[in-house]
Amino acid sequence: MSDPTATGPAVPPLDADVIVVGGGPVGATTALKLARGGMRVIVLEQREATGLEERATTFHPPTLEMLDDLGLAEPLIERGVRADSYQFRDAKLGKIVDLRFDILSGDTRFPFRLQCEQSVMTRMAIAALDEEPLAEYHPNSRVGTIRRIDGHVEVDVQSGPRRGTIRAAHLVGADGMRSTVREQLGIGFHGHTYPERFLVISTQVPLQEELPDIAYVNYIADPVDWHVLMRNPSGWRILFPAPPSWGSDEDVLAPDNVLRQFRRVLPDRDADAIDWVTLYEVHRKVADRLRDGSTYLVGDAAHVNNPMGGMGMNSGVHDGYLLAEILLRGHAGEEVDADLDRWAERRRAVALDFVGKETEGNWSALRDDDEQRRAAQRAAWEALGADDEARHEFLLTSSMLSSLRG
Ligand SMILES: Cc1cc2nc3c(=O)[nH]c(=O)nc-3n(C[C@H](O)[C@H](O)[C@H](O)COP(=O)(O)OP(=O)(O)OC[C@H]3O[C@@H](n4cnc5c(N)ncnc54)[C@H](O)[C@@H]3O)c2cc1C
C-alpha cells in the first residue's frame, strides 16, 4: 500500500535480492547457494551456453564439501575420475613421490582430488538453478552499465529477455577475468602476465598403460621439458609451457609443432591420437578490493593465477559460497557489514598469499634450472613420502583445506 504522505517519485521495486553477473562455475554456484538459502537471485550470462573449452579439471576436497551442500558433489563424483594420489616426477629420473590423500580422511569427507571438466559442474549448477523458484538464469544477457542508486544496484542488460534496467539490493561480479563489473566500479587489477603460454593437448590414448607407474595427476619437473599429465573422464590432458622462443600463437598451434610436443610424451603416436589442442595466456593478478558497498567480486573477476595446483576455480567457488553465507545471514536480519569487509580482506589475502604463492611455488619448483636446488627439491619431495606428519601438513595446503582455516 502506498504512503499518502510520501512525496517525490516512487522508488521502483527491486527485481531481486541479488544480481549475479556471469554464469560460469563461480556465478552459478554462488547463485544456487543464495537461492537455496531464501534470496531472490537473477543470473545474467552473456553466452548462449556454457563453453566446453578445456579449463579447470580439478576439484579439491573443500570445494567438494561446498558442492555437497548444494547437492552437486555426488553427481559430479559419478561423472568424474577420483585421483587418490598425485605425483611429483622428474622428466629423466621418473617417479619421485606418490602423495596419497587418504591421510586427509580425518580432515574431510572427500580425501581425494576429483578430476572432471568444469563445464560439467557448471551445467549441473545451472540445471539446479532452473529448478529453484527463487532463481532466474538468463543466457544471452550481457551486462553493460552498472549504477548505485539509493542503496541499491542497477544494471543495464544489453540483450536477452531481461533486456533493460534491473535492480537488486546486492550485485555479485562473477564475470571472469575481463570483468565488466570490476571495470565499471573502477577497481584496479594488478599483477603480471607470464611470458610463457600453456599448450594443452588432450588425448584418449590410455597413458596409464603406456607409463604404468603414473598417478591420475602428475607434475613432471625439468628445466626445459617440464609438463603436467592429468586424467579426465574423457581421456588425458598434457600441459606444456610454450616459451616466447616458440613464436606466435599460430606457430605454437601449427600441427607439426603440436605433434612434436605430443611425441615428447608419446613418441610412437601420430596426429590422429590428438583430440583437442588449446593455448592459454597465464596471468597472476588480483583486484585492489573485492567489495564496494553492496557490490562484490568473486572468482576470476577478483583474482587469476597460473593453473599449477588447480586452484583458480576452486578458490572462486570458495569466494562465492562464503560470501553467500554472509549475505544470507544479512537477509535473515543480522548485522553483517563488518563480516562482509572481513570476507573481502580475507579472500583477497587468500588470493595473494595462498593461491598466488602456492601456484607460483609449484611452477618454480617444476622448471628450476639450478641443479643444486633441483636436487634439494627432489630430496624434499622424497621426504614427504617418508614422513606422515609432513605429508599431512603438505596435503592440507595443496588440497586447499588450510586456505579456509583461521
Ligand atoms: C588451462 C587452464 C587450466 C585450469 N585448470 C584449473 C584447475 O584444474 N582447477 C582450478 O580450480 N582452476 C583451473 N583453471 C582456472 C579456472 O578455469 C577459472 O578460475 C574459472 O573458470 C573461473 O570461473 P569464473 O566463474 O570466475 O569465471 P569464468 O569461467 O570466466 O566465467 C565468467 C562468466 O561470465 C560471463 N560474462 C563475462 N562478462 C559478462 C557480462 N558483461 N555480462 C554477462 N556475462 C558476462 C562469461 O561469459 C562467463 O561465462 C584453469 C584455467 C586454465 C586456463
Side-chain angles (χ1 to χ4, degrees):
M1 195 195 291
S2 63
D3 176 1
T5 62
T7 55
V11 178
L14 298 182
D15 298 279
D17 297 313
V18 187
I19 295 169
V20 176
V21 184
V26 175
T29 48
T30 306
L32 190 57
K33 175 75 182 162
L34 289 165
R36 291 263 170 87
M39 291 181 91
R40 287 181 306 142
V41 189
I42 296 177
V43 183
L44 300 162
E45 165 56 50
Q46 68 183 0
R47 293 193 291 181
E48 163 84 41
T50 303
L52 287 174
E53 68 277 324
E54 304 253 305
R55 292 176 72 184
T57 50
T58 289
F59 291 83
H60 288 296
T63 315
L64 292 170
E65 287 175 15
M66 292 174 188
L67 295 178
D68 195 35
D69 174 45
L70 301 174
L72 301 179
E74 208 179 297
L76 194 67
I77 291 167
E78 271 170 31
R79 294 279 302 272
V81 177
R82 181 181 154 134
D84 289 315
S85 71
Y86 75 102
Q87 293 186 1
F88 287 109
R89 302 176 64 92
D90 181 275
K92 298 186 181 64
L93 305 172
K95 180 164 77 182
I96 303 169
V97 67
D98 186 79
L99 295 167
R100 294 196 58 78
F101 290 110
D102 52 5
I103 205 157
L104 296 178
S105 53
D107 303 282
T108 173
R109 300 195 302 284
F110 302 98
F112 53 89
R113 224 171 130 150
L114 186 75
Q115 293 296 115
C116 190
E117 291 82 3
Q118 70 176 52
S119 58
V120 173
M121 189 280 279
T122 308
R123 285 170 181 211
M124 283 178 183
I126 292 170
L129 278 174
D130 284 340
E131 300 293 314
E132 278 303 317
L134 291 177
E136 289 176 39
Y137 176 86
H138 295 293
N140 290 320
S141 300
R142 184 179 158 71
V143 168
T145 316
I146 292 162
R147 292 176 294 278
R148 267 167 308 162
I149 300 173
D150 296 337
H152 67 266
V153 189
E154 276 190 3
V155 302
D156 289 335
V157 189
Q158 297 170 334
S159 50
R162 275 294 197 154
R163 192 184 173 121
T165 300
I166 60 174
R167 300 169 186 83
H170 303 273
L171 181 125
V172 177
D175 51 345
M177 184 182 144
R178 294 185 174 75
S179 169
T180 302
V181 174
R182 193 185 63 234
E183 186 196 296
Q184 287 275 312
L185 295 173
I187 296 178
F189 196 47
H190 295 294
H192 59 269
T193 298
Y194 293 91
E196 294 94 339
R197 294 144 291 173
F198 280 6
L199 175 67
V200 180
I201 302 178
S202 300
T203 179
Q204 285 180 39
V205 173
L207 278 188
Q208 71 277 19
E209 288 170 19
E210 310 262 337
L211 306 163
D213 68 340
I214 59 173
Y216 279 173
V217 177
N218 309 272
Y219 295 97
I220 294 121
D222 190 90
V224 181
D225 280 340
W226 73 266
H227 57 282
V228 182
L229 304 177
M230 278 203 263
R231 176 89 159 85
N232 294 332
S234 55
W236 282 85
R237 177 195 271 207
I238 311 170
L239 185 152
F240 299 105
S245 59
W246 286 11
S248 67
D249 289 2
E250 290 70 31
D251 295 333
V252 176
L253 291 168
D256 57 339
N257 182 54
V258 171
L259 185 58
R260 196 164 42 246
Q261 306 315 325
F262 185 58
R263 284 183 169 160
R264 282 159 57 189
V265 176
L266 290 165
D268 303 327
R269 298 292 173 149
D270 289 322
D272 59 3
I274 296 173
D275 272 359
W276 190 302
V277 183
T278 33
L279 185 66
Y280 294 95
E281 271 196 324
V282 195
H283 315 269
R284 183 178 177 185
K285 295 186 178 180
V286 179
D288 291 346
R289 56 188 197 283
L290 271 55
R291 179 183 182 202
D292 191 321
S294 53
T295 306
Y296 319 89
L297 296 176
V298 293
D300 277 15
H303 44 76
V304 284
N305 285 286
N306 85 62
M308 291 297 109
M311 295 185 171
M313 176 202 63
N314 282 270
S315 63
V317 171
H318 304 173
D319 294 341
Y321 185 93
L322 297 172
L323 172 65
E325 284 187 329
I326 303 172
L327 292 177
L328 288 169
R329 285 199 280 112
H331 189 65
E334 263 186 60
E335 177 46 64
V336 293
D337 193 57
D339 289 346
L340 288 168
D341 275 344
R342 269 193 293 277
W343 167 87
E345 278 165 33
R346 171 79 186 141
R347 295 311 301 168
R348 188 168 184 276
V350 166
L352 279 168
D353 302 332
F354 183 89
V355 179
K357 284 204 178 126
E358 281 300 308
T359 54
E360 185 87 27
N362 287 340
W363 193 354
S364 307
L366 288 184
R367 65 179 170 168
D368 202 338
D369 59 4
D370 179 283
E371 193 37 56
Q372 254 186 337
R373 278 200 306 265
R374 282 163 48 73
Q377 181 63 73
R378 280 197 300 275
W381 282 331
E382 269 163 8
L384 289 176
D387 180 340
D388 282 356
E389 205 176 315
R391 180 163 58 100
H392 182 235
E393 276 308 303
F394 185 86
L395 288 176
L396 282 174
T397 299
S398 68
S399 64
M400 302 190 77
L401 285 158
S402 61
S403 75
L404 293 161
R405 296 181 174 171

